[in-house]
Every structure is written in structure tokens, then in C-alpha cells.
């Protein structure tokens, strides 16, 4: 069984930005620079063809984590908080940041996070209320997103062809589910060599999606794109079997 976690610096700051539809873009920054939310918003604009960066999502749909060195004890300490709109995604946040934490709920920002105010943006930014199965890691070394240069159709088709779309079906959000997520993210980051997005679906709360994808047991990983559709049941920790299912053994 593979239990290696993603290779992360000991000291870093991470920020995750969700959309109302459930898409996620995040960054892990060992240099702890400021204003990362601007880069994430610019990347969302480019990926989803938005008319402008969706700065109104900040801070309502963000979560942040900070691994820092206590100057008095010389021990690494961690502070992690998420806003009420995204606190339910703790299992996913722990998976992408390779932690095992109970996240604190950040205080609600009066005047910034009013649901009625946010709803006024829906007609201008409808893509943000749709679920595109996106989980995007914005590399800190490639953060200068040219948000004023829209992607042309050829670039979009190339991105779609080179990006794996995966669905992981689980039963409940238990510690075992979190372990599966961490191991699977680590394995894909280390072995796949291609961008991917992965949506986690709980069959207990979304049985209709499990029926659509013909899932009868958990955990099940379904490769939706590129076609043909393939799946692996149970033995997700098996590297060779996973890469064979993904059809990626000749691409790494």
C-alpha cells in the first residue's frame, strides 16, 4: 500500500478559492508571498472565460493554511481556516494540502459575504455557478497569468485533450476516505505527468450520480476524459493498475 504524501516544503502558505458551483483552484507557496487571491481570480477568469477576474469571491469562498516557525519554541505550527461557505470541504482541503486538521471557521465578513449581494453576480458570471469538475493547482512558479489575453479555440481544445477528468466515488467522508484522497493525489501528481481534475462524489448523498456512472461499489475511480471511459474499483493504490486504467503508461 502506498502511503507517501505529496512532497511539500515544511514551511509554506496555501490558499484555496472555490466557486459557488464547487470548482476549486489553489496554490501552495513556500515563499509566502501576498495577494495570491489575485492570481487565483485571474486564472479562473482565463479558464472559465469570465468577463473579468471574480474578485467578489474573496474572502467568502476562500480557505487558507499557514505552516510557520514559532520563533520562541522553534517548532513548526499550523493555522488553517475556511469561510463558512467552504468549511464543508475540509476533507478535500486536507487532501490537497496533505494535512490532517480540523479547520477553523473564519468570521463572516458583513457587507462582503451577503448571499443576496453575491447572487447579483450570477447573471454576469454564470460559469461560476456551474460545476466543471475543476481542481486546479496553480504552480507558484507560473503565477503570472495573462488575464487580458483570452485563450483561443485551438488552445482550449489542446487543454481539453491533455487534461484528465476523473470522478472518485466514495461512501461518506471518513478518515479512510481522506486517506484514499491523499494517496490518490500523491500518486497522480507523481506518476501521471498530465494535468487532471478530480471530483469526489459521495454515493450516500448522490446516489443518482452513482447510478449514471454505473458505480456499485466504493471506492471507484472513473476516467471520464479522455475517452474511452474506464474505471477501477477498490485497488486504487496499485500504481500499475491505475496507470493502465488511465491509459497513461505510454505517456510518462
Amino acid at each position: 500500500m502506498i502511503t507517501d504524501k505529496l512532497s511539500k516544503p515544511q514551511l509554506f502558505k496555501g490558499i484555496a478559492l472555490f466557486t459557488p458551483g464547487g470548482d476549486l483552484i489553489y496554490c501552495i507557496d513556500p515563499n509566502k508571498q501576498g495577494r495570491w487571491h489575485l492570481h487565483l481570480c485571474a486564472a479562473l477568469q482565463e479558464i472559465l472565460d469570465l468577463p473579468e477576474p471574480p474578485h467578489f469571491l474573496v474572502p467568502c469562498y476562500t480557505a487558507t493554511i499557514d505552516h510557520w516557525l514559532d520563533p520562541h519554541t522553534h517548532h513548526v505550527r499550523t493555522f488553517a481556516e475556511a469561510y463558512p461557505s467552504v468549511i464543508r470541504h475540509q476533507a478535500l482541503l486536507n487532501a490537497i494540502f496533505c494535512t490532517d486538521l480540523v479547520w477553523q471557521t473564519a468570521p463572516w465578513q458583513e457587507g462582503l459575504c451577503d448571499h443576496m449581494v453575491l447572487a447579483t453576480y450570477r447573471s454576469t458570471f454564470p460559469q461560476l455557478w456551474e460545476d466543471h469538475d475543476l481542481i486546479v493547482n496553480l504552480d507558484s512558479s507560473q503565477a503570472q497569468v495573462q488575464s487580458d489575453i483570452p485563450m483561443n479555440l485551438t488552445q482550449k481544445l489542446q487543454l481539453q485533450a491533455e487534461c484528465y477528468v476523473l470522478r472518485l466515488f466514495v461512501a461518506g467522508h471518513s478518515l479512510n476516505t481522506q486517506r484514499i484522497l491523499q494517496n490518490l493525489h500523491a500518486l497522480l501528481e507523481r506518476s501521471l505527468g498530465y494535468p487532471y481534475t478530480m471530483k469526489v462524489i459521495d454515493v450516500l448523498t448522490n446516489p443518482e450520480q452513482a447510478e449514471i456512472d454505473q458505480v456499485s461499489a466504493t471506492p471507484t475511480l472513473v476516467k471520464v476524459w479522455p475517452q474511452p471511459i474506464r474505471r477501477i474499483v477498490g485497488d486504487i493504490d496499485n500504481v500499475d493498475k491505475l496507470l493502465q486504467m488511465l491509459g497513461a503508461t505510454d505517456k510518462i
Side-chain angles (χ1 to χ4, degrees):
M1 182 179 294
I2 297 174
T3 58
D4 292 341
K5 292 186 176 182
L6 288 170
S7 176
K8 296 289 187 297
Q10 186 180 29
L11 302 178
F12 70 89
K13 186 172 183 178
I15 181 169
L17 177 64
F18 290 86
T19 68
D23 293 325
L24 166 64
I25 184 168
Y26 70 98
C27 182
I28 297 168
D29 180 19
N31 298 318
K32 297 192 172 187
Q33 301 177 45
R35 305 178 68 80
W36 265 108
H37 62 281
L38 297 180
H39 298 305
L40 297 180
C41 289
L44 272 181
Q45 178 191 13
E46 185 170 316
I47 293 170
L48 298 180
D49 277 339
L50 303 176
E52 60 185 74
H55 294 147
F56 58 89
L57 293 180
V58 183
C60 317
Y61 288 91
T62 58
T64 57
I65 182 171
D66 192 1
H67 281 276
W68 54 283
L69 185 65
D70 190 319
H72 301 292
T73 64
H74 300 288
H75 292 158
V76 176
R77 300 183 63 184
T78 301
F79 177 75
E81 68 174 9
Y83 278 85
S85 295
V86 300
I87 193 70
R88 66 184 185 277
H89 297 299
Q90 288 192 54
L92 178 57
L93 290 169
N94 280 331
I96 63 174
F97 292 124
C98 290
T99 57
D100 185 12
L101 301 170
V102 176
W103 288 61
Q104 298 185 34
T105 303
W108 195 254
Q109 297 287 322
E110 293 293 338
L112 293 178
C113 297
D114 185 273
H115 287 296
M116 295 185 65
V117 172
L118 291 172
T120 62
Y121 291 98
R122 187 163 186 168
S123 60
T124 307
F125 301 86
Q127 303 95 316
L128 295 177
W129 273 261
E130 300 168 359
D131 187 353
H132 303 90
D133 290 346
L134 287 178
I135 301 179
V136 179
N137 181 357
L138 184 65
D139 191 333
S140 61
S141 66
Q142 301 175 348
Q144 299 302 319
V145 178
Q146 298 297 321
S147 58
D148 57 335
I149 304 177
M151 296 173 65
N152 60 41
L153 181 59
T154 302
Q155 288 174 313
K156 290 178 184 176
L157 292 175
Q158 182 180 11
L159 175 63
Q160 183 183 28
E162 294 180 353
C163 181
Y164 282 78
V165 178
L166 309 172
R167 293 175 185 162
L168 176 64
F169 290 84
V170 299
H173 294 286
S174 62
L175 290 177
N176 185 54
T177 297
Q178 184 174 312
R179 179 197 64 80
I180 291 172
L181 274 170
Q182 291 175 340
N183 291 350
L184 186 55
H185 273 296
L187 191 154
L188 291 171
E189 290 283 346
R190 184 174 61 248
S191 304
L192 184 56
Y194 275 73
Y196 68 91
T197 65
M198 183 169 63
K199 181 178 181 180
V200 181
I201 300 172
D202 185 354
V203 299
L204 301 180
T205 56
N206 295 281
E208 66 284 350
Q209 187 63 56
E211 183 176 353
I212 292 172
D213 284 270
Q214 301 179 357
V215 173
S216 58
T218 58
T220 292
L221 181 68
V222 180
K223 182 194 72 170
V224 180
W225 182 269
Q227 294 185 346
I229 297 175
R230 293 178 179 174
R231 67 194 68 228
I232 183 172
V233 181
D235 194 13
I236 296 177
D237 287 335
N238 187 313
V239 180
D240 294 335
K241 189 174 181 180
L242 176 64
L243 293 179
Q244 183 179 8
M245 183 274 284
L246 295 174
T249 52
D250 59 341
K251 299 180 182 181
I252 59 175

